[in-house]
Structures are given as C-alpha cells and as structure tokens.
Amino acid sequence: MDALSSAISIAGQILKHYDKIKKARAELRVLVKLVRTVKPLLEDFLTEMRSGGRVLSRSDSRWIETLNLALEGANEVVVKVVRNPIKVAMVPSWYSTKILDANSAIKEAMEFIKMTTGTLAAKAANMSEQLVDDFSSLESSVRSVGEQLEGLPEMIAQAMKENNQSLLEQLSQQHGDGTAEDLKRQVVDLKTEHEHELQHVKDSAYRAELEAALALSRVVRTAMVPDELKCPITLELMEEPVMLVQTGQTYDRKAILTWLIDHPHKCPLTGDFEGEAKVQPNYVVKGLVETWVDAEQAREAERVEMERVRAAEHAAAEEKDSQIYQLQRRQSQLRRQLAASDPRAASEFGSHGAAGEPVTLPAVSVEQQSGAAEVVPPLPPHWTQHRDETSGYDYFYNDVTGTTQWERPVADAPAPARAAPPTPPPTP
C-alpha cells in the first residue's frame, strides 16, 4: 500500500509544481491533465483496497511500481521546467522519454483498475474512454519535440558568437523564461548536470544531445568572459596572462609561446618586431582574472546552495504532504471501522465523509482528564490496546471480530456466586 500512497503523493507534487510554470509546452499540459484525472482514481482504489482488507497482487505491485518511477520522472521534468526551462530545449530526448513513460504508466494503471469490480471499475472505464484522444495526442506531440527543437543549440551558439542580443532575446522568450542574460545563465548552469548525466547515458541520441549542450555551455561561458580578460589568440579566459615585452600586448602564456615557435619575431596583434621575443607576467591582468573567477565561483556556490535549500524545502514539503495524506487516510479508515462496529461512536467521531475534511476526535475520558491513579481492569479476551499515531489517542481492537473502537471494552459482569447455607445453630 505504501507504493500506491507514494504514487498519489507524487501526483500531488506534480500538480503543485505545475502551478508555478509560466509557460508550458502543449504535451506537458496534456500530461498534467492525465495526472489530475488519475489521482482521485488512485485514491479511490487505495480506499477500496484498505476497506476490503485486500492485499496487492504481484501484478498490482508491478504496475504501481512502474507508475511510481514514471511519475517521479514526470515530476523531475516539471521541477526542471520551473527552475531551468532551457533544459527541455537543450536535451529533448530526456524530456520526451520522461513524458512518454508517464503517459504509458498512467494508461496502464487505468487498465488495471478497470479490471476490478463495482463502481470503481466502471469509473476507470469511463475515464479511459474519455482520455483516449489525450493519450494519443500526447504520444504524437512528444515524438515531434526533437524535430521542433532541432538545431536550437547551434542557433544559440551562433547568436552568442555574433553577440546578436535581439536573437537571444527572441530565443529566450520562445524556449526559456526571462531575458537573454537569463538564457545564458541557464545554459551555463546546466554544464555540471550534463557532465554528470553523460557518465551514465548509453542511448546514442541522448548522448549526442548532451555533448552538444556541453559544447554550447562552454561557448556561452567563454562569451560571458569580459573581452579584456580573453586571450587574443584563443579568445578564452587567460589562465596565466603574460606580456610580450617587445609590443606590450598581453596573451595567455601557453598560447603566445606556442605562437612564437612558428612566428619568433611577430606579435599576433601588432605584427613584426625586432630582437628575441621576451614575455613577463602581467600581474595587473592576473589580478583582474582572479577577481572575475572568484566572483563567478561565489555565484556558482550561491546557486548550488540555493539548489540545496530548494531541494531540502522540496523534500520537507513532500514529507509534510505525505504525513497529511496518511493522516487523512487514517481518519477515513477509523471512521469506516467505527461505523461498522458502533454507529453511535462513529457519529461522535465526525460526520464528514471525505478524506481530508475536519473530524471531531473523541472526548478525553474522565480518568484521562483527572489523571487519577485508578486501577484499570484487564481487557476481555481477544481485545488489545493500541495507540493511534496520528491523533495520539488509544483505541481497542478485537482480533476475532475485527472490531475497532475508542471505548475501552468491559467484560460482562460474572454471575453472583451462590450464597453458602447458613451455619446451623449449635445443639443444646
């Protein structure tokens, strides 16, 4: 049952995160519609399983586990679209795979629920019929994502090299969420994530997209380096800036020494010079480079910390949602058990029928209020006492009848013992 509860909880997280997306692609909108439809169906299925005391079959366990993994992937997509929407455009295979897996798992879940009995099966069948077109359109839409986004990394790279701000702004509006500067930062911030993914991905198309995305990250990062800190030869950040003494021009040490092997008397920027080439460290530029690198590292550290905090908040929110959901389900279960065993106690427990609505917990007994040290009689046979973790109250369970109740059961009073005959008076 825990796996099914987890799937319901993840579905709730998908819906919650989706509300934060400013601009969603068509296929993602359809997927969220499917999640919104299947979530209450899963809740009803869980309720029916618990109320009937049923145990999940092996086939049920398989589709629920598949659904869990697929919904986790869909939730990952939604969260990424919220935080860094350019990821979808950079690696469409990642996006498409997650969406298709969720689509298939939801369809499979509804097919299995249709095989149950009663109103739930009829409800699942009706929903499946209504969603046929959505399942189909989602598949066809996702399969065209790669074609729609083909060549986008190259287009961004070209715009960066040409410093075409208008094109970058246009691409940001179409595929990102913000300005051209936001787009650049999003591309650079994905570099570490893509390097990690590349170590585990085997699919050739997926690897090709990751490699293209990494190459773009390097291009964008280079383009973001101030011109005065770039080596005129490599057009990249100078790691060890040195000055060519004869001309006063500054280059990266490795680049200029390699250049001078083939051009011993020529400066890349000013042309020929006389005498033997000499280079010396340019400490001023070196200091500027170090300052810029420190600022970038601080920004990256801040971004990583923000991601850590967001992940911690996300985990805490998930845990809270799970606890609330379990509390609601436990209250519903207790209400049904009480209704079956003691209608009067059930009405005192609360008259609201839907999970999550407020309930009235049973009143504390006089003994609990006063704390009096009263001798409590032992429980009758087959009764055991338990603590309800969600409410903190004790309840009692009969393992023969299956009865659950709040009131402490009392054994039937024994019949009074027959009185002994009176002692006859002594004989005179």
Side-chain angles (χ1 to χ4, degrees):
M1 298 296 184
D2 289 343
L4 186 54
S5 298
S6 176
I8 296 170
S9 177
I10 297 171
Q13 294 162 26
I14 291 173
L15 300 179
K16 182 173 66 175
H17 292 139
Y18 179 77
D19 290 338
K20 301 176 184 177
I21 298 178
K22 298 178 181 178
K23 182 175 58 178
R25 293 181 59 87
E27 55 275 354
L28 190 56
R29 292 197 299 270
V30 176
L31 176 64
V32 170
K33 176 184 177 181
L34 297 177
V35 172
R36 205 181 300 277
T37 302
V38 80
K39 181 175 180 288
L41 193 64
L42 295 174
E43 292 172 341
D44 291 344
F45 181 69
L46 179 60
T47 299
E48 186 173 289
M49 294 289 290
R50 284 177 169 168
S51 61
R54 291 173 52 195
V55 178
L56 290 175
S57 65
R58 183 173 299 179
S59 59
D60 283 333
S61 298
R62 280 198 296 268
W63 72 256
I64 292 172
E65 183 61 30
T66 300
L67 181 64
N68 251 311
L69 294 174
L71 290 179
E72 285 178 357
N75 191 42
E76 182 184 345
V77 167
V78 175
V79 170
K80 183 58 69 176
V81 171
V82 172
R83 297 178 183 173
N84 195 331
I86 199 64
K87 167 83 172 185
V88 176
M90 300 302 299
V91 194
S93 290
W94 165 84
Y95 172 80
S96 300
T97 300
K98 302 286 188 184
I99 298 292
L100 285 175
D101 287 348
N103 185 56
S104 299
I106 292 173
K107 185 189 297 184
E108 182 184 35
M110 298 186 78
E111 289 298 319
F112 270 95
I113 297 177
K114 280 167 57 178
M115 291 189 291
T116 60
T117 58
T119 57
L120 183 60
K123 184 178 180 181
N126 183 48
M127 287 183 175
S128 295
E129 185 176 348
Q130 293 178 2
L131 296 175
V132 167
D133 291 340
D134 292 303
F135 285 123
S136 177
S137 65
L138 180 57
E139 290 182 5
S140 59
S141 177
V142 168
R143 297 190 190 285
S144 65
V145 168
E147 298 176 3
Q148 297 171 12
L149 299 175
E150 187 176 3
L152 181 61
E154 292 79 5
M155 191 181 302
I156 296 176
Q158 189 63 31
M160 292 297 302
K161 292 177 181 178
E162 298 174 356
N163 196 24
N164 189 334
Q165 290 298 311
S166 61
L167 179 56
L168 288 173
E169 290 287 350
Q170 179 183 347
L171 294 175
S172 178
Q173 292 297 319
Q174 291 176 350
H175 305 286
D177 181 16
T179 66
E181 290 303 315
D182 295 326
L183 176 65
K184 296 175 187 177
R185 286 295 179 188
Q186 289 172 10
V187 171
V188 172
D189 289 344
L190 287 171
K191 178 176 178 293
T192 302
E193 179 180 324
H194 288 164
E195 287 174 340
H196 177 72
E197 289 181 27
L198 200 55
Q199 298 175 4
H200 307 284
V201 172
K202 296 181 179 179
D203 181 77
S204 58
Y206 193 176
R207 288 188 65 87
E209 290 175 356
L210 285 173
E211 289 168 353
L214 277 173
L216 178 59
S217 295
R218 298 187 188 101
V219 170
V220 174
R221 179 173 174 78
T222 298
M224 294 174 68
V225 175
D227 290 340
E228 61 271 20
L229 304 183
K230 294 179 184 177
C231 173
I233 300 175
T234 63
L235 300 180
E236 295 180 354
L237 179 69
M238 289 184 281
E239 296 181 1
E240 190 177 358
V242 295
M243 180 188 297
L244 183 58
V245 175
Q246 281 75 9
T247 63
Q249 301 297 325
T250 300
Y251 305 92
D252 185 75
R253 175 183 289 276
K254 183 178 180 180
I256 189 60
L257 292 181
T258 301
W259 166 273
L260 290 172
I261 292 174
D262 296 326
H263 313 86
H265 303 288
K266 187 175 183 178
C267 174
L269 290 179
T270 62
D272 295 336
F273 60 83
E274 296 181 357
E276 182 181 356
K278 295 181 180 179
V279 297
Q280 64 183 31
N282 188 328
Y283 293 108
V284 174
V285 176
K286 183 176 179 62
L288 294 174
V289 169
E290 291 175 348
T291 299
W292 186 83
V293 170
D294 289 345
E296 285 295 296
Q297 290 177 343
R299 190 197 67 81
E300 175 65 13
E302 181 180 1
R303 184 189 69 81
V304 171
E305 176 62 17
M306 289 178 64
E307 286 290 327
R308 187 194 66 78
V309 171
R310 277 199 293 257
E313 291 175 346
H314 176 64
E318 288 181 353
E319 179 64 22
K320 182 178 179 181
D321 289 345
S322 177
Q323 291 175 352
I324 292 174
Y325 180 79
Q326 294 300 330
L327 171 61
Q328 293 170 347
R329 287 294 165 184
R330 178 59 180 160
Q331 289 173 339
S332 297
Q333 183 183 21
L334 289 173
R335 189 182 303 111
R336 289 191 300 273
Q337 292 172 342
L338 283 172
S341 62
D342 188 346
R344 180 185 60 80
S347 64
E348 293 176 358
F349 182 66
S351 59
H352 301 290
E357 294 183 352
V359 296
T360 304
L361 290 173
V364 180
S365 67
V366 175
E367 291 78 13
Q368 290 172 313
Q369 293 177 10
S370 63
E374 182 177 335
V375 177
V376 180
L379 291 170
H382 305 297
W383 284 94
T384 53
Q385 184 173 353
H386 305 273
R387 174 61 56 89
D388 177 30
E389 298 295 336
T390 58
S391 67
Y393 289 91
D394 288 344
Y395 65 94
F396 302 89
Y397 173 71
N398 188 304
D399 59 11
V400 173
T401 64
T403 302
T404 302
Q405 64 185 48
W406 293 109
E407 293 79 5
R408 184 181 184 87
V410 178
D412 294 335
R418 182 185 298 272
T423 304
T427 56

